[in-house]
Amino acid sequence: MTPSVRRVAVIGGNRIPFARSNGPYAHASNSDMLAAALDGLIERYNLQGEKIGEMAAGAVLKHPRDRDLTREVVLGSKLAPETPAFDVQQACGTGLEAVILIANKIALGQIDSGIAGGVDTTSDAPLALNDDLREILLDANRTPDTAGRLKLLTRLRPGMVVPAIPANEEPRTGLSMGEHCAIMASEWGITREAQDALTIRSHDHLAAAYDRGWQDDLMTSYLGLERDQNLRPGSTLEKLGKLKPVFGGPEGTMTAANSTPLSDGASTVLLASEEWAKARNLPILAYITESQTAAVDFVHKREGLLMAPAYAMPTMLDRAGLTLQDFDVYEIHEAFAAQVLCTLAAWEDPVFCKERLGRDKPLGSIDTEKMNINGGSLAAGHPFAATGGRIVAGLAKELSDRGSGRGVISICAAAGQGVVAILESAGGAK
Amino acid sequence: MSQDLYTQIVNSPPGGFIAKRVGLPQPTTLDRYRPGQPLVSGTVLVGAAPGGRLAGAIAATLAAANAEVATTLDADLRSAAADAGLDASVFNPEAGGDRRFKALVFDATGISDSTELVELQKFFHPSVRKVQSSGRVVVLGTPPEDTKTPREHTAQRALEGFTRSLGKEIGKGSTVQLVYVAPGAEDLIGSTLRFFVSPKSAYVSGQVARVSAGLPVPADIDWEKPLAGKTALVTGASRGIGEAIIETLARDGANVVGLDIPQLGEDLKKVTDRLDGEAIELDITSDDAPKVIADFFKGRGVDIVVHNAGVTRDRTLAKMPEDRWQSVLDINLSSEERINDALLKAKAINAGGRIIGVSSMAGIAGNRGQTNYATSKAGVIGMVQSMAPVLAKSDITINAVAPGFIETQMTAAMPIAVREPGRRLNSMNQGGLPIDVAETIAWFASSGSTGLTGNVVRVCGQMLLGA
Ligand SMILES: NC(=O)c1ccc[n+]([C@@H]2O[C@H](COP(=O)([O-])OP(=O)(O)OC[C@H]3O[C@@H](n4cnc5c(N)ncnc54)[C@H](O)[C@@H]3O)[C@@H](O)[C@H]2O)c1
């Protein structure tokens, strides 16, 4: 690290409860939800009229009309209109990548404060015009005279009215993310029971966090929702065992319960230099000390679509001089229970660690009692770009509550990508 | 020679429909090896009983073969794979997924008590249904005579009942073998494991092979040309199985010398010219044959001697005159012994040499009208067993193949009532091809097969007759 790099503080975060697709937020747009999350953050940290260094946020499913979504949300907020903003997109890694981008600017001294965020709606999803219809309409637009335009319109066919719905599908393989994950689950030998057990734990931990009021200073209720709509504590292996597999064929192990549902929601995180925070008398929960992204070739090299975090982690650990066991809290995004379990299995596996990571020894296992202790995406839901902010804010708060300690985040993303980061408690790593 | 007519017909859509309706056996078109193709066209699943000692050798072999591999969730297998540089995935039968395997390899050396034989059921029960057609199953054990306790001996001997039965029920042209690997011979399994997981062993099933201590496998062995730089003599090379043998040894890199009777000199020359080889026109039973052959190789040396020349002169014993008896025994057995002795005396067989005999199912199971032939072919087995320890002192190995029903001019000339049952009464429901015998001989001949001696392996599609 060069001496000019500063420590980056996490001040806090705010999100709206996550809703299931076509639920209470069915008619809320991405900008509505991001604005709601941002308003709550401004409120909590008295940022009205404040000129923030920069805001970065993004959405995975984005309307063409939402050009510079984040800047528009800033302009509609109580922040000073002089706050610049930009959009980020890196699939499910969007939220954490936005945090990293803002943190890096603060670390370099380019800005003193920043907000990172993310939002997604699968209800108010952008529909593209059917390609044939789009071509005719564009041709019509290019045709100067009315007669010519009318003639073009005779090319219209009823079938063209069917819109192109954005599919949750990898363009290069034609497989959905769930189908990709089912292949990983099989190749890593992940059982249905292990996935269901992780799912139950996620719901129970999130419910407990709500019950003890732990979530109170992380959320603002929205459109009548006070808790994540997907949350269903108190399930059993027996109950979950009755569900039919949704991915991986009839022999598959992945169900609607142990996979995250399509969801709507938004989150934001406030980051700053220590001086900026002190000057405003704002608390520092934790510091962001390291981060790393990685990508895998799932198209030609038969690597699992969601295995990139398994690669990003050792690179980051080596740079930080840490081992996988040096953490008090692990936040591993539960896109699918199987994804979490595959990642853990890979880190324990001598073959993966030697052949794919080029390491002499496996990274080893982690104490899973320290993982996702306040619940994870399986319980909360997973509005793609909003997950990173939820996790960063939650982990920072947990580390602050503990008074000391170190936490690590691992998030898998579509198109074979992964983002990881390390947070240290404001009270020190240990 | 291509597939027999029956196999062609039942593999055509209408023929297959009819065959299924009337319950005729449906032989699968067997995968056969073509140079340049991968050793295994599919994934090899490796499993092990706890405490096995072959994980490292199996992983090293499959890694060197660039095979696609999966292993069970077994710590020893995972670390062995990592050490061997084998990028193997995991297979857990409880994890679902549409997994298919071309070969199953199971290290059973950890089984030291009959109660542990359940490990076979645990591994194969969920995986056997996932085997593709022309699949391969290889179980590796410890030779019962090399075990430490009577219990271990019993359990290891029991493996044979498992592999032979699985061979009879697996179907789809798949084969099942048992390989006994002596302690200390772990590093010598390469050529054998390669052969048994590959399509080269298409018509070999239900067999037991023994890998014992021997010279180290040359580190620089080229598995595409494992006979590079070697000289091979094949008797009876002008046609039939002999022609396939000499072609296959040449394919594997050997400089070949073909031998046949002068009457077939022209045919022989056609074969050897095609292979850039040399020809010896000679009747192996002639008085000077051993000397002619020994002189031919004196100084330059020979590495591989394949005694393939053989004849049948069938008669029931009551009608068998002495000359009929004697010519068969002389061609099929006694001349081979004389040639071996002459070559050894002239020190013409190089260290690391291979002698390979061609026995027959008749020599194992016996056959009506073939007392002379079966005696000679059982004698070939005797020759392998008696000479193996003697030759070991000169680092020469001796093994034999025992073909079952092989599609040649000889079998094509059989009356249909004899031919059809011969063809069908085996686990493959079809006859083998000369190339199947040749591939098995090439396996014995391979520079990697230093640990193979005293073996008699049948190339019979696991014929229902015989042990
Ligand atoms: N075809 C089968 O189904 C079958 C089954 C079991 C064993 N075998 C054995 O395989 C070997 C080859 O059989 P094949 O089917 O190719 O038979 P084949 O008759 O086509 O070939 C045998 C070859 O050996 C040669 N030969 C015979 N007597 C000889 C002599 N005295 N000196 C030199 N050469 C001599 C012949 O000229 C001929 O070229 C034989 O040992 C046979 O017993 C064949």
Side-chain angles (χ1 to χ4, degrees), chain B residues 108-193:
Chain B
T109 55
I111 295 178
S112 57
D113 189 286
S114 60
T115 54
E116 294 160 14
L117 289 164
V118 69
E119 296 294 334
L120 294 168
Q121 191 274 347
K122 283 189 192 157
F123 175 73
F124 286 103
H125 167 69
S127 58
V128 76
R129 275 171 294 175
K130 299 186 177 289
V131 174
Q132 292 158 312
S133 70
S134 285
R136 298 284 176 265
V137 173
V138 184
V139 175
L140 299 117
T142 301
E145 59 276 15
D146 292 334
T147 50
K148 292 195 201 74
T149 66
R151 286 282 181 93
E152 187 184 1
H153 181 120
T154 303
Q156 288 295 323
R157 177 61 184 80
L159 298 175
E160 213 179 305
F162 175 79
T163 52
R164 288 188 193 275
S165 299
L166 187 57
K168 290 187 178 180
E169 65 182 43
I170 191 165
K172 293 187 292 184
S174 296
T175 64
V176 184
Q177 329 288 351
L178 173 60
V179 179
Y180 281 131
V181 183
E186 291 83 4
D187 293 342
L188 308 185
I189 67 168
S191 72
T192 300
L193 188 56

Side-chain angles (χ1 to χ4, degrees), chain A residues 182-183 185-192 248 251-253 302 349-352 354-356, chain B residues 68 73 78-79 81-92 94-97 99 130:
Chain A
I183 296 170
S186 172
E187 298 220 323
W188 282 105
I190 307 302
T191 63
R192 167 80 180 262
E251 277 186 68
T253 53
R302 80 180 185 100
D349 184 43
V351 174
F352 180 86
K354 176 139 181 286
E355 303 311 318
R356 310 269 175 107
Chain B
E68 179 113 359
L73 272 170
R78 298 305 291 167
S79 9
D83 291 346
L86 187 62
D87 193 355
S89 68
V90 166
F91 173 68
N92 176 357
E94 284 161 42
R99 306 285 288 276
K130 299 186 177 289

Side-chain angles (χ1 to χ4, degrees), chain B residues 235-243 245 259-262 264 280 282-286 307-313 327 330-332 335-336 357-362 373 376-377 401-411 414 432 434 437 459:
Chain B
T235 68
S238 71
R239 67 178 197 211
I241 294 172
E243 185 182 357
I245 295 170
L259 183 151
D260 216 306
I261 48 173
L264 291 177
I280 304 177
L282 187 69
D283 179 338
I284 51 172
T285 59
S286 65
H307 293 297
N308 163 73
V311 294
T312 52
R313 301 263 193 280
S327 68
D330 208 31
I331 295 171
N332 293 3
S335 68
E336 297 182 1
V358 178
S359 178
S360 166
M361 276 304 296
Y373 182 74
S376 72
K377 293 299 185 182
V401 294
F405 187 98
I406 304 298
E407 305 283 355
T408 61
Q409 284 171 15
M410 182 178 111
T411 49
M414 285 178 173
V437 179
V459 186

Side-chain angles (χ1 to χ4, degrees), chain A residues 17-58:
Chain A
F18 294 164
R20 290 174 67 106
S21 190
N22 294 315
Y25 303 169
H27 299 289
S29 68
N30 274 338
S31 52
D32 293 341
M33 291 191 288
L34 186 57
L38 180 60
D39 285 350
L41 189 79
I42 295 167
E43 194 85 12
R44 182 161 304 132
Y45 298 104
N46 296 315
L47 304 176
Q48 298 84 350
E50 188 81 53
K51 187 176 123 189
I52 294 294
E54 196 154 24
M55 175 161 176

